[in-house]
Amino acid sequence: MSFQNPVFIPGPTNIPKHLRKACDMPTIDHRSPLFGQILHPAREGVRKVLQSDSAEVFIFPATGTGGWETALTNTLSPGDRVLVARNGMFSHRWIDMCQRHGLDVQIVEVPWGDGIPADRYQDILAADTGHAIRAVLATHNETATGVRSDIGAIRRAMDAAGHPALLFVDGVSSIGSMEFRFDDWGVDVAVTGSQKGFMLPAGLAITGFSARAMAATETATLTRTFFDVRDMAKGYAGNAYPYTPAVGLMSGLKEACRMLLDEGLENVFARHHRIAEGVRVAVKAWGLELCASDPSVQSDTVSAIRTPVGFNATDIVTHAADRYGVAFGVGLGEVAGKVFRIGHLGSLTDVMALSGIATAEMCMADLGLQITLGSGVAAAQDYYRGHPAAPRKAAA
Ligand SMILES: *Cc1c(COP(=O)(O)O)cnc(C)c1O
């Protein structure tokens, strides 16, 4: 690998220099008002990025996976039923966690490459007249397949069925990069980590709780200690944590939110869409297909690209690292060896994306795929020239 090149994995993402510096700070007393000056703006910034007026934000020294555990253990009790679709490796892992916690998991199997079927959720919820289902789980962006599901449609399905279940959303690879509307979508718990849209090193689990989810914390009986949001809330009231916070990362998070909000969330989402469109026209020019089964579910943060049958897609990733010092993502689970992934989220421009597209072309040509060098780059160049970026402020 080369430290000079950007990475094109869908997390951890490239860390802007400004955020590296924000994380690098001397030790402070983490139970002092000085820490409060980091903690409270960071929580407030996350709330804004979630597009919520009222979400309670809790941030743990953990990763996105710890955020899932926070959602489940604070709101549910052993044996509670949850409804969840499996359409990729990340939803699969969330299901596994639910099962290990002794929840009664009702799984909707979905082909890898498809989005979450809101209509099937609606039928299942409407049939659940006794309201045994306590929570509906949705992976907003399946990072394994490059598929974005429609969370607004899931909320509408729940409302149409008149069902009171809580709605938990894994937004690990969408929050801070793609439209995410905590309040409008009636999300009850949103989960992410620091190393994707927030452009930081891994190390923080970032969650937002609705008032209904907060109420559920009072009756839930799953065991929780480290991730207990009630202990966390008490800590926050005194500018502290129930234990030692990751102060440097929290300082980075405060700045990451400021960067996203300064750019403007609409601009951030538009930038990700634009960059993604350039990657998609390149894939088309190569004569390859995305794993995402339909344009309506194509992700703006990661593209999973199918390679021809008989070709091991993982070879592209290995070769890119060995020969060119560039990181792409491998296929996971059911699509291992069948796809490689280009991550295009976080601190990225179209100019950087062009370098990733060019590198993927070199690798595919080196490995004997029928790729015309420059074909994808030219298609992306045409797209970017025709869709100029909004004028950007000088980098912080
Ligand atoms: C990366 C990712 C996770 C896992 O997060 P960690 O921070 O690695 O624990 C979960 N869900 C999705 C959709 C992801 O992209």
Side-chain angles (χ1 to χ4, degrees), residues 39-40 42-48 50-60 67 70-71 74-75 182-183 187-192 205-218 227-237:
L39 169 67
H40 301 303
R43 293 180 67 216
E44 181 62 15
V46 169
R47 198 175 56 65
K48 287 188 179 143
L50 293 175
Q51 303 196 72
S52 174
D53 289 331
S54 56
E56 286 279 347
V57 172
F58 298 104
I59 304 161
F60 297 87
T70 301
N74 279 283
T75 58
F182 187 93
D183 285 0
V187 175
D188 290 298
V189 184
V191 174
T192 187
I206 299 166
T207 66
F209 277 61
S210 72
R212 286 187 67 221
M214 289 307 293
T217 67
E218 299 301 331
F227 292 118
D228 196 323
V229 297
R230 295 167 305 177
D231 294 344
M232 198 53 110
K234 276 186 214 137
Y236 288 168

Side-chain angles (χ1 to χ4, degrees), residues 91-105:
S91 41
H92 171 73
R93 286 188 187 148
W94 207 1
I95 289 166
D96 174 59
M97 178 185 283
C98 291
Q99 290 170 334
R100 292 204 222 173
H101 276 291
L103 295 169
D104 172 8
V105 189

Side-chain angles (χ1 to χ4, degrees), residues 33-390:
L34 195 54
F35 178 60
Q37 289 170 25
I38 296 172
L39 169 67
H40 301 303
R43 293 180 67 216
E44 181 62 15
V46 169
R47 198 175 56 65
K48 287 188 179 143
V49 170
L50 293 175
Q51 303 196 72
S52 174
D53 289 331
S54 56
E56 286 279 347
V57 172
F58 298 104
I59 304 161
F60 297 87
T63 69
T65 306
W68 291 346
E69 195 152 311
T70 301
L72 302 178
T73 58
N74 279 283
T75 58
L76 299 173
S77 301
D80 276 357
R81 187 174 302 165
V82 298
L83 175 64
V84 52
R86 173 158 40 208
N87 65 337
M89 198 63 192
F90 292 94
S91 41
H92 171 73
R93 286 188 187 148
W94 207 1
I95 289 166
D96 174 59
M97 178 185 283
C98 291
Q99 290 170 334
R100 292 204 222 173
H101 276 291
L103 295 169
D104 172 8
V105 189
Q106 185 166 350
I107 303 170
V108 176
E109 296 291 353
V110 177
W112 288 34
D114 285 3
I116 301 171
D119 51 345
R120 279 169 70 193
Y121 270 27
Q122 186 170 331
D123 292 346
I124 291 165
L125 292 166
D128 178 34
T129 50
H131 297 163
I133 296 170
R134 302 302 303 272
V136 171
L137 278 52
T139 299
H140 184 201
N141 187 70
E142 236 314 340
T143 317
T145 56
V147 163
R148 164 171 41 185
S149 290
D150 186 344
I151 303 301
I154 293 170
R155 166 47 68 196
R156 289 191 293 278
M158 294 171 72
D159 291 349
H163 202 289
L166 296 166
L167 174 58
F168 300 165
V169 182
D170 172 350
V172 181
S173 60
S174 60
I175 290 169
S177 315
M178 295 194 295
E179 183 83 76
F180 190 96
R181 309 195 73 87
F182 187 93
D183 285 0
D184 290 353
W185 294 343
V187 175
D188 290 298
V189 184
V191 174
T192 187
S194 48
Q195 79 277 23
K196 298 196 183 176
F198 288 107
M199 307 168 282
L200 293 165
L204 297 177
I206 299 166
T207 66
F209 277 61
S210 72
R212 286 187 67 221
M214 289 307 293
T217 67
E218 299 301 331
T219 52
T221 61
L222 275 178
T223 302
R224 66 222 202 243
T225 52
F226 187 83
F227 292 118
D228 196 323
V229 297
R230 295 167 305 177
D231 294 344
M232 198 53 110
K234 276 186 214 137
Y236 288 168
N239 295 318
Y241 266 46
Y243 34 77
T244 316
V247 176
L249 281 171
M250 293 295 289
S251 164
L253 182 60
K254 173 183 159 184
E255 282 306 309
C257 293
R258 199 184 58 76
M259 279 179 72
L260 291 169
L261 296 167
D262 274 2
E263 183 177 349
L265 291 179
E266 288 309 315
N267 296 331
V268 171
F269 304 150
R271 173 166 57 83
H272 281 83
H273 180 69
R274 230 175 121 260
I275 291 173
E277 284 286 301
V279 173
R280 288 190 277 264
V281 296
V283 171
K284 198 164 171 220
W286 296 331
L288 297 178
E289 306 246 313
L290 292 170
C291 182
S293 60
D294 184 83
S296 64
V297 298
Q298 288 167 352
S299 163
D300 285 342
T301 59
V302 54
S303 295
I305 300 156
R306 288 190 186 279
T307 51
V309 177
F311 181 88
N312 181 6
T314 303
D315 289 348
I316 294 173
V317 179
T318 313
H319 186 76
D322 291 350
R323 178 76 67 90
Y324 301 110
V326 168
F328 294 110
V330 295
L332 300 172
E334 262 184 37
V335 291
K338 297 180 186 162
V339 306
F340 74 104
R341 294 176 299 153
I342 300 183
H344 34 81
L345 76 161
S347 180
L348 212 66
T349 64
D350 46 7
V351 169
M352 291 159 86
L354 286 169
S355 72
I357 295 166
T359 308
E361 278 180 1
M362 292 194 284
C363 294
M364 290 189 284
D366 292 348
L367 295 170
L369 289 180
Q370 294 302 307
I371 297 288
T372 305
L373 285 180
S375 58
V377 172
Q381 285 171 324
D382 272 341
Y383 181 83
Y384 294 142
R385 290 177 68 223
H387 298 79

